Amino acid sequence: MSLHIWISFCALVALMVSAPGPSVLIGMSHSMRYGPVPTLLTALGDVTANMIQMIIAAVGLGAILATSATAFQAVKWVGVAFLLAMGLVAFFRKPAAGNPKNDIETNKVAGREPARPFKMFSQGFLVAAGNPKAIAFFGALFPQFIDATHPLMPQLVVLGVTFVIFDYTAVMVYAAAASRITPWVTRHGGNRAIGRFSGGVLIIAAMLLSLIDAPGSFAGEK
């Protein structure tokens, strides 16, 4: 894997993880209730589930990489369609009605609930693991950045570790800011704004993925 391919992967992943998803939202919730430091365990549960999903997705990569440029393009456009559909759904989704209990917790200024490490980790893990689309997502994303002329496993390790670092960082950045940002956003009707931001980021990610070419090893195929 060349440096410019890895940098392109980093740019795409950074853009994707910046869109608040279920794992980010539970990180924000835990940060408001328990504080940012205990939420480190929530983020750890999230990336642990991600790593398991990556391993499951990687099982089929060998067959994909052994095929032609036509199959490569088919996988890529499946990934583009997946991101685009998720982006449009997020962009046009109407915000859910508020929960009075959650509103009280959102506006709580001081005081934190006692954190239980196993509960924090397990909830972060289950939220991420409960999204079966993640396996298809990893299976569609990783092949776009792998060179079939080089050993597969080292490239998968690099991509997997890179994704985990970016994902973990994103969860914690949102969690650290949640106690200050979320009450203000909620009071000013920010649920719709967050949905549109998330959808816009996913749509941009779909556009970037559509511009990725097949590895050079497929260049001569018709």
Side-chain angles (χ1 to χ4, degrees), residues 116-159:
R116 290 185 289 175
F118 178 76
K119 179 181 178 180
M120 305 274 293
F121 177 89
S122 61
Q123 288 187 354
F125 179 90
L126 291 174
V127 167
N131 180 13
K133 293 180 180 178
I135 297 175
F137 172 77
F138 289 130
L141 177 66
F142 282 11
Q144 321 308 325
F145 297 91
I146 289 178
D147 188 345
T149 63
H150 290 78
L152 176 62
M153 189 55 63
Q155 296 180 80
L156 288 176
V157 171
V158 170
L159 295 178

Side-chain angles (χ1 to χ4, degrees), residues 159-173:
L159 295 178
V161 170
T162 300
F163 187 93
V164 164
I165 291 173
F166 274 93
D167 188 40
Y168 191 93
T169 301
V171 172
M172 289 312 305
V173 166

Side-chain angles (χ1 to χ4, degrees), residues 1 16 18 25 34 50 53 60 64 69 84 89 104 107 115 118 137 140 148 153 163 168 189 201 209 222:
M1 180 189 302
M16 289 188 297
S18 67
L25 294 178
Y34 310 113
N50 285 163
Q53 291 165 332
I64 293 174
L84 185 59
V89 169
I104 293 173
N107 290 282
F118 178 76
F137 172 77
M153 189 55 63
F163 187 93
Y168 191 93
V201 167
L209 184 57
K222 301 297 184 181

Side-chain angles (χ1 to χ4, degrees), residues 21-22 79-93 131 133 137 195 198-200 202-203 206:
V80 170
F82 173 73
L83 286 171
L84 185 59
M86 294 293 291
L88 291 174
V89 169
F91 190 88
F92 291 107
R93 179 188 293 125
N131 180 13
K133 293 180 180 178
F137 172 77
S198 303
L202 290 172
I203 291 170

Side-chain angles (χ1 to χ4, degrees), residues 31-36 101-113 176-184 187:
S31 181
M32 287 186 291
R33 294 173 60 187
Y34 310 113
K101 180 180 178 180
N102 290 341
D103 291 341
I104 293 173
E105 292 178 354
T106 297
N107 290 282
K108 186 164 50 181
V109 177
R112 302 285 188 185
E113 298 179 32
S179 59
R180 294 185 179 181
I181 296 177
T182 303
W184 184 89
R187 286 197 302 270

